[in-house]
Amino acid sequence: MGWESHFVTGALAGYVVTNSFVGALVGGVAGLVPDIDEPNAKLGRYVPFFSRWLKHTFGHRTLTHSLLFFAAIGVALYYFDVDERYTYAVLAGLMAHSACDMITGRVQLFYPLPMKVGIRVKRKWSKRIDEAAKWLALGAFIALVLRNIVIG
Ligand SMILES: [Zn+2]
């Protein structure tokens, strides 16, 4: 999936768990993090050497897309005493990323186990699913915000 879809789905996930725009922003940025293992990805371009090392050492959609990585990030945020709500937003954004990757391809969710999880789709369908996920997540985000404004 493209970075826009990962950002929007991560933001939606962050908003759902925190009910705040800051949580949405945190979730959106966290949604970009797993693709740090891809030098051509939005975040990977900012740290090309690290990104290439990750891809070369572990491969794409492996360690940084795994429950092990999410748990390590969660423990690190807990250790550094980050506000619990933003820890949840980060974890929600990370999980949204892998969930989205799993509807357009396969992810080594249980790394270091070699098993890959997800649906393999043809490239043209991957693009369509990417677009649909992005607009659905954006629509859901707007609907939730409006609901919170109306209901309070
Ligand atoms: Zn990914």
Side-chain angles (χ1 to χ4, degrees), residues 6 34-35 60-61 65 97 101:
H6 284 308
D35 278 347
H60 181 45
R61 290 184 169 181
H65 290 65
H97 182 108
D101 275 356

Side-chain angles (χ1 to χ4, degrees), residues 124-145:
K124 73 174 182 179
W125 280 104
S126 174
K127 295 263 183 204
R128 290 176 182 163
I129 293 168
D130 185 351
E131 282 294 309
K134 177 172 54 182
W135 292 110
L136 281 172
L138 186 61
F141 181 78
I142 291 168
L144 275 175
V145 170

Side-chain angles (χ1 to χ4, degrees), residues 25-149:
L25 181 64
V26 169
V29 172
L32 303 178
V33 170
D35 278 347
I36 200 164
D37 67 357
E38 175 52 62
N40 295 321
K42 192 75 172 170
L43 200 58
R45 278 186 237 147
Y46 289 102
V47 285
F49 296 112
F50 181 61
S51 184
R52 270 189 228 115
W53 175 79
L54 271 175
K55 187 173 186 177
H56 177 75
T57 307
F58 301 102
H60 181 45
R61 290 184 169 181
T62 59
L63 174 65
T64 60
H65 290 65
S66 71
L67 295 175
L68 176 68
F69 180 73
F70 305 159
I73 295 290
V75 168
L77 294 174
Y78 177 79
Y79 180 79
F80 289 109
D81 206 21
V82 171
D83 186 317
E84 198 173 74
R85 290 187 330 147
Y86 301 126
T87 298
Y88 292 144
V90 167
L91 294 175
L94 292 170
M95 287 189 256
H97 182 108
S98 280
C100 285
D101 275 356
M102 286 189 283
I103 60 171
T104 58
R106 297 178 2 134
V107 168
Q108 209 170 328
L109 188 66
F110 304 104
Y111 183 89
L113 297 177
M115 176 177 54
K116 291 185 176 180
V117 182
I119 305 163
R120 269 196 200 143
V121 294
K122 292 187 175 176
R123 185 137 184 91
K124 73 174 182 179
W125 280 104
S126 174
K127 295 263 183 204
R128 290 176 182 163
I129 293 168
D130 185 351
E131 282 294 309
K134 177 172 54 182
W135 292 110
L136 281 172
L138 186 61
F141 181 78
I142 291 168
L144 275 175
V145 170
L146 291 175
R147 177 187 154 272
N148 286 344
I149 289 170

